[in-house]
Amino acid sequence: MKKIAVLGSTGSIGRNALQVLSCFPERFSVFGLSTNTNIKLLEEQIRQFKPKVVAIADEESFQKFPRSHDAEVLLGMDGLKRLCSDPQVDLVINALVGSVGLIPSLEALGAGKNLALANKESLVMAGELLIQTAKDKDVEILPIDSEHSAIKQCLLSGKKGEVKRIILTASGGPFLTKSKKDLKKITAKEALSHPTWEMGKKITIDSATLMNKGLEVIEAHWLFGIPSERIKVLIHPQSIVHSMVEFVDGSVIAQMSLPDMKLPIQYALFFPQRILSNNASLDLTKIGQLTFLEPNHKQFPCLHLAYQALELGGTAPTVLNAADEVAVEEFLANRIEFPDIQRIVEGTLREHQAKPAACLDDILNADKWAKRKAKELCAERKIKG
Ligand code: MG
Protein backbone atom coordinates (compact mmCIF):
# COMPACT_ATOMS: atom_id res chain seq x y z
CA MET A 1 0.00 0.00 0.00
CA LYS A 2 1.52 3.30 -1.12
CA LYS A 3 0.99 6.34 1.08
CA ILE A 4 0.28 9.47 -0.93
CA ALA A 5 0.43 13.18 -0.10
CA VAL A 6 -1.72 15.36 -2.36
CA LEU A 7 -0.62 19.00 -2.33
CA GLY A 8 -3.37 21.27 -3.62
CA SER A 9 -6.05 18.63 -3.08
CA THR A 10 -8.95 21.10 -3.39
CA GLY A 11 -7.93 22.36 -6.85
CA SER A 12 -8.94 20.86 -10.17
CA ILE A 13 -6.01 18.41 -10.49
CA GLY A 14 -6.10 17.60 -6.77
CA ARG A 15 -9.78 16.64 -6.93
CA ASN A 16 -9.15 14.51 -10.01
CA ALA A 17 -6.20 12.85 -8.29
CA LEU A 18 -8.34 11.94 -5.27
CA GLN A 19 -10.96 10.48 -7.59
CA VAL A 20 -8.31 8.28 -9.20
CA LEU A 21 -6.87 7.26 -5.80
CA SER A 22 -10.36 6.36 -4.55
CA CYS A 23 -10.68 3.83 -7.41
CA PHE A 24 -7.71 1.84 -6.06
CA PRO A 25 -8.19 1.63 -2.28
CA GLU A 26 -6.18 -1.60 -2.13
CA ARG A 27 -3.15 0.10 -3.73
CA PHE A 28 -3.10 3.61 -2.24
CA SER A 29 -3.93 5.36 0.99
CA VAL A 30 -4.11 9.12 1.34
CA PHE A 31 -1.59 10.20 3.98
CA GLY A 32 -1.85 13.97 3.57
CA LEU A 33 -3.85 16.72 1.89
CA SER A 34 -3.38 20.45 1.50
CA THR A 35 -5.32 23.55 0.53
CA ASN A 36 -4.76 27.27 0.45
CA THR A 37 -8.16 28.62 1.51
CA ASN A 38 -10.82 26.06 0.53
CA ILE A 39 -11.28 24.64 4.04
CA LYS A 40 -14.88 23.60 3.41
CA LEU A 41 -13.85 21.13 0.72
CA LEU A 42 -10.81 20.09 2.77
CA GLU A 43 -13.16 19.08 5.58
CA GLU A 44 -15.18 16.91 3.19
CA GLN A 45 -11.98 15.35 1.87
CA ILE A 46 -10.84 14.57 5.43
CA ARG A 47 -14.13 12.79 6.09
CA GLN A 48 -13.79 10.73 2.92
CA PHE A 49 -10.06 9.95 2.87
CA LYS A 50 -9.09 10.11 6.56
CA PRO A 51 -5.57 11.53 6.05
CA LYS A 52 -3.12 11.63 8.97
CA VAL A 53 -1.95 15.15 8.17
CA VAL A 54 -3.35 18.21 6.39
CA ALA A 55 -1.59 21.48 5.60
CA ILE A 56 -3.35 24.82 5.16
CA ALA A 57 -1.28 27.50 3.44
CA ASP A 58 -3.40 30.53 4.33
CA GLU A 59 -3.06 31.64 7.96
CA GLU A 60 -6.61 32.96 8.36
CA SER A 61 -8.08 29.74 6.94
CA PHE A 62 -5.79 27.76 9.28
CA GLN A 63 -7.16 29.64 12.32
CA LYS A 64 -10.76 29.14 11.22
CA PHE A 65 -10.42 25.46 10.41
CA PRO A 66 -12.47 23.26 12.78
CA ARG A 67 -10.47 20.61 14.71
CA SER A 68 -13.32 18.06 14.78
CA HIS A 69 -11.27 15.26 13.19
CA ASP A 70 -8.15 13.20 13.83
CA ALA A 71 -5.86 14.76 11.23
CA GLU A 72 -2.91 16.82 12.39
CA VAL A 73 -3.23 20.35 10.96
CA LEU A 74 -0.09 22.13 9.76
CA LEU A 75 0.31 25.75 8.68
CA GLY A 76 1.85 27.44 5.67
CA MET A 77 4.95 26.60 3.67
CA ASP A 78 6.59 24.95 6.68
CA GLY A 79 3.54 22.72 6.99
CA LEU A 80 3.72 21.80 3.30
CA LYS A 81 7.41 21.01 3.63
CA ARG A 82 6.82 18.80 6.63
CA LEU A 83 3.97 16.99 4.90
CA CYS A 84 5.91 16.18 1.76
CA SER A 85 9.06 15.09 3.55
CA ASP A 86 7.27 12.93 6.16
CA PRO A 87 9.09 9.57 6.38
CA GLN A 88 5.78 7.72 5.95
CA VAL A 89 5.00 9.28 2.56
CA ASP A 90 5.89 7.19 -0.52
CA LEU A 91 4.80 9.56 -3.28
CA VAL A 92 3.92 13.25 -3.43
CA ILE A 93 1.40 14.59 -5.93
CA ASN A 94 2.18 18.28 -6.36
CA ALA A 95 -0.95 19.96 -7.75
CA LEU A 96 -0.23 23.40 -6.32
CA VAL A 97 -0.78 26.39 -8.60
CA GLY A 98 2.10 28.68 -9.54
CA SER A 99 5.54 29.45 -8.16
CA VAL A 100 4.49 28.46 -4.63
CA GLY A 101 4.85 24.83 -5.79
CA LEU A 102 8.62 24.99 -6.22
CA ILE A 103 9.81 24.59 -2.63
CA PRO A 104 7.55 21.59 -1.88
CA SER A 105 8.76 19.92 -5.11
CA LEU A 106 12.38 20.33 -4.06
CA GLU A 107 11.60 19.24 -0.53
CA ALA A 108 9.83 16.08 -1.71
CA LEU A 109 12.65 15.06 -4.08
CA GLY A 110 15.28 15.98 -1.48
CA ALA A 111 13.54 13.67 0.98
CA GLY A 112 13.76 10.86 -1.57
CA LYS A 113 10.10 10.79 -2.62
CA ASN A 114 8.85 10.06 -6.10
CA LEU A 115 7.12 13.18 -7.34
CA ALA A 116 4.00 13.17 -9.53
CA LEU A 117 4.20 16.71 -10.79
CA ALA A 118 1.29 18.79 -12.04
CA ASN A 119 2.96 22.01 -10.89
CA LYS A 120 4.85 22.75 -14.11
CA GLU A 121 6.10 26.03 -12.63
CA SER A 122 8.53 23.99 -10.48
CA LEU A 123 10.30 22.75 -13.60
CA VAL A 124 10.07 26.09 -15.40
CA MET A 125 11.77 27.86 -12.49
CA ALA A 126 14.26 25.27 -11.37
CA GLY A 127 14.42 22.53 -13.99
CA GLU A 128 18.11 21.87 -13.62
CA LEU A 129 17.97 21.78 -9.82
CA LEU A 130 14.95 19.46 -9.76
CA ILE A 131 16.34 17.02 -12.32
CA GLN A 132 19.68 16.92 -10.51
CA THR A 133 18.03 16.38 -7.11
CA ALA A 134 15.90 13.54 -8.53
CA LYS A 135 19.05 11.96 -9.97
CA ASP A 136 21.02 12.33 -6.73
CA LYS A 137 18.21 10.79 -4.70
CA ASP A 138 17.40 8.14 -7.33
CA VAL A 139 13.72 9.09 -7.50
CA GLU A 140 11.41 9.91 -10.40
CA ILE A 141 9.57 13.00 -11.56
CA LEU A 142 6.38 11.73 -13.15
CA PRO A 143 4.57 14.38 -15.18
CA ILE A 144 0.88 15.01 -14.57
CA ASP A 145 0.38 17.11 -17.64
CA SER A 146 -1.47 15.51 -20.54
CA GLU A 147 1.18 16.50 -23.10
CA HIS A 148 4.16 15.29 -21.08
CA SER A 149 2.40 12.12 -20.09
CA ALA A 150 1.80 11.58 -23.82
CA ILE A 151 5.44 12.23 -24.67
CA LYS A 152 6.59 9.84 -21.93
CA GLN A 153 4.39 7.15 -23.48
CA CYS A 154 5.50 7.90 -27.07
CA LEU A 155 9.19 7.83 -26.08
CA LEU A 156 8.82 4.15 -25.16
CA SER A 157 8.74 3.43 -28.91
CA GLY A 158 12.44 4.10 -29.41
CA LYS A 159 15.76 4.98 -27.82
CA LYS A 160 16.63 8.49 -26.70
CA GLY A 161 19.24 8.87 -29.46
CA GLU A 162 16.59 7.98 -32.03
CA VAL A 163 14.33 10.92 -31.18
CA LYS A 164 14.22 13.58 -33.87
CA ARG A 165 11.80 15.97 -32.22
CA ILE A 166 8.93 16.35 -29.84
CA ILE A 167 5.65 17.77 -31.11
CA LEU A 168 3.58 19.33 -28.33
CA THR A 169 -0.05 19.89 -29.18
CA ALA A 170 -2.10 22.84 -27.94
CA SER A 171 -5.85 23.29 -28.14
CA GLY A 172 -5.24 26.93 -29.03
CA GLY A 173 -7.67 28.09 -26.34
CA PRO A 174 -10.95 29.93 -26.87
CA PHE A 175 -9.56 32.79 -28.98
CA LEU A 176 -7.86 30.87 -31.75
CA THR A 177 -9.67 32.76 -34.51
CA LYS A 178 -9.93 36.21 -32.87
CA SER A 179 -8.31 39.28 -34.43
CA LYS A 180 -5.85 41.42 -32.50
CA LYS A 181 -8.57 44.07 -32.14
CA ASP A 182 -11.03 41.55 -30.68
CA LEU A 183 -8.44 40.35 -28.15
CA LYS A 184 -8.35 43.81 -26.60
CA LYS A 185 -12.00 43.58 -25.55
CA ILE A 186 -11.89 40.11 -24.04
CA THR A 187 -13.19 39.83 -20.48
CA ALA A 188 -11.89 37.50 -17.77
CA LYS A 189 -15.17 35.57 -17.98
CA GLU A 190 -14.73 34.90 -21.71
CA ALA A 191 -11.12 33.88 -21.20
CA LEU A 192 -12.16 31.44 -18.50
CA SER A 193 -14.33 29.29 -20.78
CA HIS A 194 -11.98 26.77 -22.35
CA PRO A 195 -13.33 24.79 -25.33
CA THR A 196 -12.00 21.32 -24.45
CA TRP A 197 -10.47 21.15 -20.95
CA GLU A 198 -11.94 22.00 -17.56
CA MET A 199 -9.15 23.46 -15.45
CA GLY A 200 -8.22 25.99 -12.78
CA LYS A 201 -8.30 29.74 -13.52
CA LYS A 202 -4.58 30.39 -13.92
CA ILE A 203 -4.00 27.59 -16.42
CA THR A 204 -7.16 28.47 -18.35
CA ILE A 205 -5.94 32.03 -18.92
CA ASP A 206 -2.47 30.68 -19.74
CA SER A 207 -4.13 28.45 -22.35
CA ALA A 208 -5.89 31.44 -23.89
CA THR A 209 -2.59 33.37 -24.23
CA LEU A 210 -0.63 30.20 -25.22
CA MET A 211 1.69 30.91 -22.27
CA ASN A 212 0.67 27.50 -20.94
CA LYS A 213 2.20 25.91 -24.03
CA GLY A 214 5.29 28.05 -23.60
CA LEU A 215 5.69 26.82 -20.02
CA GLU A 216 5.16 23.28 -21.29
CA VAL A 217 7.97 23.66 -23.84
CA ILE A 218 10.31 24.51 -20.95
CA GLU A 219 8.85 21.65 -18.89
CA ALA A 220 9.44 19.19 -21.77
CA HIS A 221 12.99 20.45 -22.23
CA TRP A 222 13.89 19.56 -18.63
CA LEU A 223 11.85 16.37 -18.32
CA PHE A 224 13.13 14.78 -21.51
CA GLY A 225 16.48 16.52 -22.02
CA ILE A 226 15.60 17.79 -25.50
CA PRO A 227 16.84 21.22 -26.70
CA SER A 228 14.20 23.82 -27.54
CA GLU A 229 14.90 23.79 -31.28
CA ARG A 230 13.75 20.17 -31.34
CA ILE A 231 10.48 20.93 -29.53
CA LYS A 232 7.70 22.00 -31.88
CA VAL A 233 4.23 23.24 -30.99
CA LEU A 234 1.18 22.50 -33.15
CA ILE A 235 -2.34 23.78 -32.60
CA HIS A 236 -4.82 20.90 -32.46
CA PRO A 237 -8.25 22.22 -31.49
CA GLN A 238 -9.88 18.83 -30.75
CA SER A 239 -7.43 17.96 -27.90
CA ILE A 240 -7.42 14.27 -28.83
CA VAL A 241 -3.75 13.86 -29.81
CA HIS A 242 -2.02 14.91 -26.60
CA SER A 243 1.45 15.08 -28.12
CA MET A 244 3.74 13.22 -30.50
CA VAL A 245 7.33 12.10 -30.86
CA GLU A 246 9.03 11.95 -34.23
CA PHE A 247 11.89 9.46 -34.54
CA VAL A 248 14.90 9.70 -36.85
CA ASP A 249 13.39 7.24 -39.35
CA GLY A 250 10.44 9.59 -39.90
CA SER A 251 8.00 7.59 -37.80
CA VAL A 252 5.70 9.75 -35.67
CA ILE A 253 4.14 8.18 -32.58
CA ALA A 254 1.11 9.95 -31.11
CA GLN A 255 -0.81 9.33 -27.90
CA MET A 256 -4.57 9.83 -28.12
CA SER A 257 -7.46 9.79 -25.69
CA LEU A 258 -10.48 11.85 -24.73
CA PRO A 259 -9.36 14.95 -22.81
CA ASP A 260 -9.59 13.81 -19.18
CA MET A 261 -6.84 14.49 -16.62
CA LYS A 262 -7.65 11.27 -14.77
CA LEU A 263 -5.75 9.32 -17.42
CA PRO A 264 -2.36 11.12 -17.06
CA ILE A 265 -2.82 11.03 -13.27
CA GLN A 266 -3.39 7.28 -13.31
CA TYR A 267 -0.46 6.77 -15.69
CA ALA A 268 1.85 8.68 -13.33
CA LEU A 269 0.62 6.77 -10.28
CA PHE A 270 1.13 3.32 -11.80
CA PHE A 271 4.07 4.02 -14.13
CA PRO A 272 5.47 1.89 -15.78
CA GLN A 273 2.35 -0.29 -15.53
CA ARG A 274 -0.96 0.18 -17.29
CA ILE A 275 -4.01 -0.58 -15.21
CA LEU A 276 -7.55 -1.41 -16.24
CA SER A 277 -9.82 1.58 -15.70
CA ASN A 278 -13.34 2.59 -16.56
CA ASN A 279 -12.22 5.70 -18.48
CA ALA A 280 -14.42 6.27 -21.53
CA SER A 281 -13.15 4.75 -24.80
CA LEU A 282 -12.14 7.06 -27.60
CA ASP A 283 -14.54 6.80 -30.53
CA LEU A 284 -12.80 8.49 -33.45
CA THR A 285 -15.91 8.27 -35.61
CA LYS A 286 -17.62 10.60 -33.15
CA ILE A 287 -14.69 13.02 -33.30
CA GLY A 288 -14.71 12.81 -37.11
CA GLN A 289 -11.78 15.10 -37.82
CA LEU A 290 -8.41 15.78 -36.28
CA THR A 291 -6.90 19.05 -37.50
CA PHE A 292 -3.52 20.68 -36.95
CA LEU A 293 -2.20 24.16 -37.66
CA GLU A 294 0.78 26.39 -36.96
CA PRO A 295 0.46 28.66 -33.92
CA ASN A 296 0.02 32.32 -34.80
CA HIS A 297 2.98 33.91 -33.04
CA LYS A 298 1.91 37.46 -33.88
CA GLN A 299 -1.46 36.98 -32.26
CA PHE A 300 -0.10 35.01 -29.29
CA PRO A 301 3.46 36.21 -28.57
CA CYS A 302 3.68 34.46 -25.18
CA LEU A 303 4.75 31.20 -26.78
CA HIS A 304 7.67 32.90 -28.45
CA LEU A 305 8.58 34.68 -25.20
CA ALA A 306 8.84 31.31 -23.47
CA TYR A 307 11.21 29.98 -26.14
CA GLN A 308 13.24 33.16 -25.70
CA ALA A 309 13.41 32.73 -21.92
CA LEU A 310 14.52 29.11 -22.31
CA GLU A 311 17.30 30.16 -24.67
CA LEU A 312 18.41 32.95 -22.33
CA GLY A 313 18.48 30.31 -19.60
CA GLY A 314 19.45 30.84 -15.95
CA THR A 315 16.88 32.95 -14.14
CA ALA A 316 15.02 34.05 -17.31
CA PRO A 317 12.33 31.29 -17.21
CA THR A 318 11.67 32.14 -13.54
CA VAL A 319 11.14 35.77 -14.53
CA LEU A 320 8.84 34.78 -17.42
CA ASN A 321 6.77 32.67 -15.04
CA ALA A 322 6.63 35.26 -12.25
CA ALA A 323 5.62 38.11 -14.57
CA ASP A 324 2.91 35.93 -16.09
CA GLU A 325 1.60 34.99 -12.66
CA VAL A 326 1.23 38.65 -11.71
CA ALA A 327 -0.25 39.68 -15.07
CA VAL A 328 -2.85 36.88 -15.03
CA GLU A 329 -3.91 37.84 -11.53
CA GLU A 330 -4.29 41.49 -12.56
CA PHE A 331 -6.28 40.48 -15.65
CA LEU A 332 -8.60 38.27 -13.58
CA ALA A 333 -9.20 41.25 -11.29
CA ASN A 334 -10.11 43.36 -14.37
CA ARG A 335 -7.20 45.72 -13.78
CA ILE A 336 -5.44 45.17 -17.11
CA GLU A 337 -6.58 44.09 -20.59
CA PHE A 338 -5.99 40.68 -22.12
CA PRO A 339 -3.17 41.78 -24.50
CA ASP A 340 -1.44 43.47 -21.55
CA ILE A 341 -0.54 40.03 -20.16
CA GLN A 342 1.96 39.54 -22.95
CA ARG A 343 3.18 43.15 -22.67
CA ILE A 344 3.87 42.77 -18.96
CA VAL A 345 5.77 39.52 -19.46
CA GLU A 346 7.77 40.96 -22.34
CA GLY A 347 8.53 44.19 -20.46
CA THR A 348 9.65 42.34 -17.35
CA LEU A 349 11.88 39.97 -19.32
CA ARG A 350 13.41 42.90 -21.19
CA GLU A 351 14.51 44.57 -17.97
CA HIS A 352 15.94 41.40 -16.48
CA GLN A 353 19.61 40.54 -16.58
CA ALA A 354 19.56 36.75 -16.64
CA LYS A 355 21.93 35.15 -14.12
CA PRO A 356 22.81 31.51 -13.57
CA ALA A 357 20.12 29.71 -11.55
CA ALA A 358 22.66 27.79 -9.52
CA CYS A 359 20.77 27.54 -6.25
CA LEU A 360 17.30 28.01 -4.82
CA ASP A 361 18.13 31.49 -3.50
CA ASP A 362 19.06 32.78 -6.99
CA ILE A 363 15.73 31.50 -8.26
CA LEU A 364 13.64 32.89 -5.41
CA ASN A 365 15.36 36.29 -5.69
CA ALA A 366 14.63 36.42 -9.42
CA ASP A 367 11.01 35.43 -8.71
CA LYS A 368 10.65 38.23 -6.17
CA TRP A 369 12.30 40.81 -8.41
CA ALA A 370 10.12 39.88 -11.39
CA LYS A 371 6.88 39.99 -9.40
CA ARG A 372 7.71 43.49 -8.14
CA LYS A 373 8.70 44.66 -11.62
CA ALA A 374 5.58 43.15 -13.20
CA LYS A 375 3.37 44.86 -10.61
CA GLU A 376 4.96 48.20 -11.49
CA LEU A 377 4.33 47.61 -15.17
CA CYS A 378 0.73 46.57 -14.45
CA ALA A 379 0.15 49.79 -12.50
CA GLU A 380 1.26 51.77 -15.54
CA ARG A 381 -1.22 49.94 -17.77
CA LYS A 382 -4.11 49.94 -15.31
CA ILE A 383 -7.54 50.30 -16.92
CA LYS A 384 -8.91 53.75 -16.17
CA GLY A 385 -12.22 54.15 -14.36
MG1 MG B 1 -0.94 20.50 -20.47
Side-chain angles (χ1 to χ4, degrees):
M1 177 89 78
K2 271 193 183 157
K3 294 197 175 90
I4 313 288
V6 186
L7 313 185
S9 63
T10 57
S12 169
I13 295 285
R15 294 194 308 267
N16 272 301
L18 287 177
Q19 264 191 52
V20 174
L21 292 170
S22 70
C23 295
F24 305 98
E26 72 293 349
R27 302 286 297 262
F28 304 108
S29 74
V30 175
F31 178 84
L33 298 170
S34 98
T35 190
N36 185 28
T37 55
N38 194 349
I39 49 177
K40 199 168 163 258
L41 180 55
L42 183 67
E43 248 196 296
E44 282 172 34
Q45 292 179 343
I46 290 178
R47 271 199 294 277
Q48 190 183 348
F49 293 96
K50 306 194 172 36
K52 295 261 183 304
V53 179
V54 299
I56 301 173
D58 177 63
E59 170 128 37
E60 204 187 317
S61 306
F62 172 82
Q63 301 298 356
K64 274 199 267 177
F65 192 61
R67 305 303 202 260
S68 52
H69 47 75
D70 297 330
E72 183 186 0
V73 187
L74 305 173
L75 167 66
M77 184 53 81
D78 283 341
L80 278 172
K81 281 165 77 175
R82 252 192 66 199
L83 168 58
C84 56
S85 59
D86 191 292
Q88 293 187 66
V89 169
D90 297 303
L91 179 136
V92 173
I93 298 178
N94 184 347
L96 296 169
V97 178
S99 47
V100 70
L102 170 60
I103 291 175
S105 282
L106 269 173
E107 192 73 21
L109 292 173
K113 316 289 182 195
N114 286 315
L115 177 65
L117 187 60
N119 178 263
K120 64 190 79 176
E121 293 85 350
S122 296
L123 278 169
V124 169
M125 296 170 75
E128 203 170 351
L129 206 56
L130 250 67
I131 297 295
Q132 192 56 49
T133 310
K135 233 187 220 163
D136 292 346
K137 296 283 172 182
D138 197 23
V139 287
E140 282 219 64
I141 302 175
L142 303 150
I144 299 187
D145 200 341
S146 58
E147 295 77 359
H148 305 75
S149 177
I151 295 163
K152 201 169 170 68
Q153 296 175 56
C154 297
L155 283 173
L156 295 175
S157 292
K159 297 198 181 77
K160 195 174 171 209
E162 296 166 348
V163 174
K164 188 168 176 191
R165 57 179 186 159
I166 283 174
I167 303 160
L168 276 172
T169 53
S171 70
F175 310 134
L176 196 52
T177 55
K178 288 250 195 264
S179 73
K180 227 173 174 163
K181 220 170 113 203
D182 292 338
L183 287 178
K184 214 175 132 52
K185 290 176 270 175
I186 278 161
T187 62
K189 201 176 158 218
E190 289 171 296
L192 284 173
S193 57
H194 194 277
T196 49
W197 288 97
E198 255 193 69
M199 308 176 286
K201 282 185 184 177
K202 164 73 168 42
I203 187 171
T204 304
I205 303 298
D206 280 345
S207 295
T209 62
L210 287 198
M211 179 57 94
N212 181 51
K213 211 47 55 180
L215 300 178
E216 289 181 357
V217 167
I218 303 176
E219 185 187 5
H221 163 73
W222 289 115
L223 277 174
F224 306 114
I226 303 279
S228 60
E229 62 274 16
R230 291 205 280 134
I231 305 174
K232 158 111 190 122
V233 171
L234 272 189
I235 304 292
H236 167 48
Q238 295 85 9
S239 299
I240 296 297
V241 173
H242 298 302
S243 276
M244 300 175 254
V245 173
E246 183 178 344
F247 289 91
V248 285
D249 60 357
S251 222
V252 177
I253 308 292
Q255 187 263 338
M256 293 192 269
S257 71
L258 290 168
D260 181 345
M261 281 313 291
K262 287 196 275 304
L263 180 55
I265 291 168
Q266 181 177 320
Y267 190 72
L269 286 172
F270 285 100
F271 181 81
Q273 270 179 295
R274 287 191 185 272
I275 297 288
L276 179 72
S277 80
N278 52 8
N279 288 333
S281 265
L282 171 63
D283 181 351
L284 283 172
T285 62
K286 278 197 185 129
I287 309 289
Q289 261 190 342
L290 300 176
T291 53
F292 300 90
L293 52 152
E294 285 288 337
N296 182 342
H297 288 282
K298 267 207 177 121
Q299 200 87 313
F300 301 102
C302 285
L303 180 57
H304 178 66
L305 289 173
Y307 272 100
Q308 247 182 0
L310 181 56
E311 269 152 48
L312 280 168
T315 48
T318 295
V319 168
L320 171 95
N321 180 67
D324 177 60
E325 221 166 282
V326 169
V328 168
E329 214 177 284
E330 293 289 302
F331 170 68
L332 285 173
N334 299 312
R335 287 194 287 264
I336 59 170
E337 291 173 346
F338 185 76
D340 289 334
I341 298 174
Q342 155 256 320
R343 291 192 189 104
I344 303 298
V345 175
E346 194 176 2
T348 312
L349 258 183
R350 203 186 304 127
E351 295 203 27
H352 181 63
Q353 275 265 314
K355 295 179 200 80
C359 64
L360 183 59
D361 274 349
D362 295 342
I363 294 161
L364 295 180
N365 284 336
D367 179 64
K368 221 197 236 159
W369 174 88
K371 283 182 179 158
R372 199 175 53 228
K373 176 53 69 185
K375 273 183 196 145
E376 276 169 39
L377 296 179
C378 284
E380 285 167 22
R381 298 216 61 94
K382 206 166 180 175
I383 299 168
K384 309 275 182 304

